[in-house]
Amino acid sequence: GGGIFLQIMHTGRIGHPLNLPPNANLVAPSAIKPETTKMWVDGEGLLEIPDPKEMTSTEIQQNIAEHVTAAKHALKPVLMELNYIARMGI
């Protein structure tokens, strides 16, 4: 039989508001934008990445808790592997 692989990831400052759901914010542990990285946006091409909103300590803890909850939910069915990445753009 086949297996299922799931990756849970927070991209941090690497993103663009036009690639996010409506009213979502680009957030990261700090408000430092990447200097040379650009983000592809469908219909727009490569765009500069704007400054992310700096997360508060409470928001960071909430984000960690949300990832833990997601991993617990993901492991309820039978998964062969779980890969969690939280280092992007930090």
Side-chain angles (χ1 to χ4, degrees), residues 4 6 12 17-19 30 39-41 55 71 76-77:
I4 299 171
L6 174 67
L18 294 177
N19 287 338
S30 67
M39 177 60 57
W40 181 265
V41 175
M55 299 170 77
K76 287 181 181 178

Side-chain angles (χ1 to χ4, degrees), residues 27-83:
V27 297
S30 67
I32 302 169
K33 78 177 211 172
E35 293 182 18
T36 59
T37 304
K38 293 187 177 187
M39 177 60 57
W40 181 265
V41 175
D42 288 344
E44 301 289 332
L46 280 176
L47 299 178
E48 294 288 329
I49 295 175
D51 294 339
K53 175 193 168 291
E54 182 173 359
M55 299 170 77
T56 65
S57 295
T58 301
E59 290 170 325
I60 292 170
Q61 292 304 315
Q62 179 181 356
N63 187 266
I64 292 169
E66 289 170 352
H67 280 78
V68 169
T69 299
K72 287 178 179 177
H73 287 294
L75 291 173
K76 287 181 181 178
V78 178
L79 287 179
M80 305 279 299
E81 182 176 347
L82 174 65
N83 183 10

